[in-house]
Amino acid sequence: MRIAMVSEHANPLAALGDVDAGGQNLHVAELSAALVRLGHDVTVYTRRDDPKQPETKRAPGGYRVVHLTAGPRRHVPKDELLPYMNDFARQLAARTARRRPDVLHAHFWMSGMVSALVGRAQEIPVVQTFHALGTVKRRHQGDADTSPQKRIAVERAVGRAATRVAATCSDEVFELVRMGIPRDKISVVPCGVDVDQFTPDGPPAQKGAPRRVLSVGRLVPRKGFGELIDALALVPDAELVIVGGPAPNRLGRDPEARRLRDRAKRLGIADRVHLTGQVARKDMPALLRSADLVACVPWYEPFGIVPLEAMACAVPVLATAVGGLTDTVVDGVTGLHVPPRNVHALSAKLRELLANPAWCATLGAAGCDRARSRYTWDRIAQDTLRTYLRCPDLAERAGRELVAGVRR
């Protein structure tokens, strides 16, 4: 099958942890590579945000990345990209007209808008993965939400226009149905984890305290790092390591990093809170294995890949009961749930887990089993293919090929 991934701002080749580079970039990269391993032809179309980027590059995973020029050849915050999407759509249409894909798989709402236009004009099925929904972002961020005003309306139109919608978790399904998208066109296709890279085996990174709590993500308030620092003040003999954000040499200029460090200083625990900045992917398993537990405590979270990576390393997860975290982390089995933005509940759960290493080991072992049985990228790729084949045109073609194979 010839598959076109459309990911306007999330380049699968980008360094993770930097501005606007996170779970979606990783999802597109890993899913594309897994589909290639299954024998499919995958091209990712993304926006050129650096003049040095080549027009086409073959990724290590075997898929092609095509950089389309839409707007300035530099980084533009994703919430400011909407005016350039007409240019992006024109270039995508020219490419797909020359080399027609069997399916357009759009990632994020602006990619969905572009893919809906191209797919309708060229009669190509469109599968939509939102990764995050404007209704949820607006609900939790309020006036701090920088999304374009049109986002929610466009998302609703994109969901209705798509041939299929691939939701990343059950919570998203309910949100999509409330938006008026028919339930029978929605499939649940979660994110995955590389279980060859993230394993319990191998050396851990060095600790700086008897007990370590690790948290990973972009340095934005909604990731809950501030609440974690407040909670740590009530947890003695433990350190908090926050991984993510800009490169270490730029961390001192990052406003959120400075805010978090000031918060720790005011609470008298600056010596127990460590911000690492951006960490190379190859170093992440050792960091995760060094933790007694991994805390993923965002205010909201469409899915969350870090809990899966921790589980694959047999590390228990303390997660807020929001979004996709309620699917991946099974409360009392692979980790514990805690209400979002509740410092007292968070500190109590941290103390409870850190005081019981045997329980942590049991939770970690169950998490590892769950990650390896349900969330490998090869399985996610199979789930994705099944979603593609529920598109009427592709299902009909697959039926014809099956009949032809039997006759041969």
Side-chain angles (χ1 to χ4, degrees):
M1 186 183 297
R2 186 176 290 170
I3 300 161
M5 299 282 182
V6 185
S7 181
E8 91 291 328
H9 77 275
N11 189 327
L13 302 176
L16 299 184
D18 215 339
V19 181
D20 289 338
Q24 183 178 326
N25 305 67
L26 181 64
H27 183 119
V28 174
E30 294 284 4
L31 176 59
S32 298
L35 288 167
V36 168
R37 289 196 296 271
L38 292 175
H40 300 279
D41 183 306
V42 181
T43 301
V44 180
Y45 295 95
T46 191
R47 195 187 78 86
R48 180 180 280 108
D49 60 7
D50 186 328
K52 297 177 182 178
Q53 287 169 332
E55 184 175 288
T56 302
K57 183 172 182 177
R58 180 74 64 171
Y63 55 91
R64 284 178 302 277
V65 178
V66 176
H67 296 105
L68 304 179
T69 301
R73 298 186 183 196
R74 58 172 171 77
H75 171 74
V76 175
K78 66 176 182 285
D79 289 336
E80 299 174 16
L81 286 176
L82 186 58
Y84 308 120
M85 287 301 101
N86 283 337
D87 287 345
F88 192 92
R90 281 192 290 269
Q91 292 192 50
L92 178 64
R95 292 276 184 165
T96 54
R98 292 197 300 269
R99 193 171 186 273
R100 187 182 190 279
D102 297 303
V103 63
L104 287 164
H105 189 162
H107 296 267
F108 204 57
W109 67 278
M110 282 181 284
S111 291
M113 179 180 68
V114 166
S115 298
L117 294 170
V118 174
R120 182 173 58 189
Q122 299 183 5
E123 297 184 340
I124 303 171
V126 175
V127 172
Q128 174 68 35
T129 300
F130 283 105
H131 292 278
L133 289 169
T135 52
V136 178
K137 189 176 182 184
R138 185 71 50 82
R139 185 180 306 137
H140 289 276
Q141 293 195 6
D143 293 340
D145 180 12
T146 57
S147 300
Q149 288 296 318
K150 298 177 181 179
R151 175 175 176 172
I152 293 173
V154 171
E155 283 181 338
R156 186 175 290 112
V158 164
R160 291 174 177 172
T163 315
R164 299 287 306 172
V165 176
T168 54
C169 65
S170 53
D171 186 69
E172 185 182 348
V173 174
F174 302 138
E175 194 73 32
L176 290 166
V177 171
R178 285 193 290 268
M179 290 166 59
I181 297 166
R183 177 64 183 88
D184 61 2
K185 72 186 295 182
I186 305 170
S187 301
V188 176
V189 183
C191 299
V193 61
D194 183 346
V195 296
D196 294 324
Q197 180 182 15
F198 292 89
T199 72
D201 306 316
Q206 286 188 336
K207 284 186 184 180
R211 299 179 296 178
R212 169 175 284 184
V213 178
L214 187 75
S215 197
V216 184
R218 287 184 293 120
L219 295 187
V220 291
R222 74 172 181 85
K223 291 296 184 180
F225 299 131
E227 287 80 8
L228 260 179
I229 290 171
D230 292 348
L232 189 76
L234 304 172
V235 182
D237 301 322
E239 65 176 351
L240 171 63
V241 177
I242 299 172
V243 180
N249 63 343
R250 293 190 285 120
L251 196 60
R253 299 192 297 272
D254 184 87
E256 183 65 8
R258 291 200 301 268
R259 188 182 73 86
L260 293 172
R261 282 171 169 164
D262 288 345
R263 193 166 188 156
K265 187 176 181 179
R266 286 197 306 272
L267 292 168
I269 56 170
D271 60 327
R272 294 198 285 131
V273 176
H274 312 289
L275 278 68
T276 69
Q278 193 177 102
V279 169
R281 290 289 293 166
K282 64 181 179 62
D283 297 327
M284 280 304 301
L287 264 176
L288 290 166
R289 287 192 291 263
S290 75
D292 295 273
L293 66 90
V294 169
C296 302
V297 292
W299 305 347
Y300 68 96
E301 185 63 67
F303 185 80
I305 292 175
V306 173
L308 291 181
E309 294 174 345
M311 288 160 56
C313 291
V315 180
V317 179
L318 178 59
T320 43
V322 295
L325 302 183
T326 60
D327 284 1
T328 52
V329 180
V330 182
D331 190 34
V333 178
T334 69
L336 295 181
H337 288 168
V338 66
R341 307 185 75 171
N342 187 323
V343 172
H344 291 292
L346 180 55
S347 63
K349 294 293 185 184
L350 286 172
R351 290 193 301 271
E352 186 179 0
L353 283 168
L354 292 173
N356 196 333
W359 188 27
C360 283
T362 300
L363 296 172
C368 187
D369 287 344
R370 181 166 171 78
R372 298 186 73 87
S373 64
R374 175 65 187 94
Y375 292 105
T376 67
W377 278 111
D378 286 341
R379 173 163 176 176
I380 302 309
Q382 294 281 8
D383 291 347
T384 302
L385 285 172
R386 281 190 284 271
T387 300
Y388 294 165
L389 291 174
R390 293 190 69 180
C391 298
D393 291 351
L394 291 178
E396 183 180 341
R397 195 188 79 177
R400 289 197 303 270
E401 291 176 352
L402 179 62
V403 170
V406 170
R407 285 175 178 170
R408 284 196 296 268

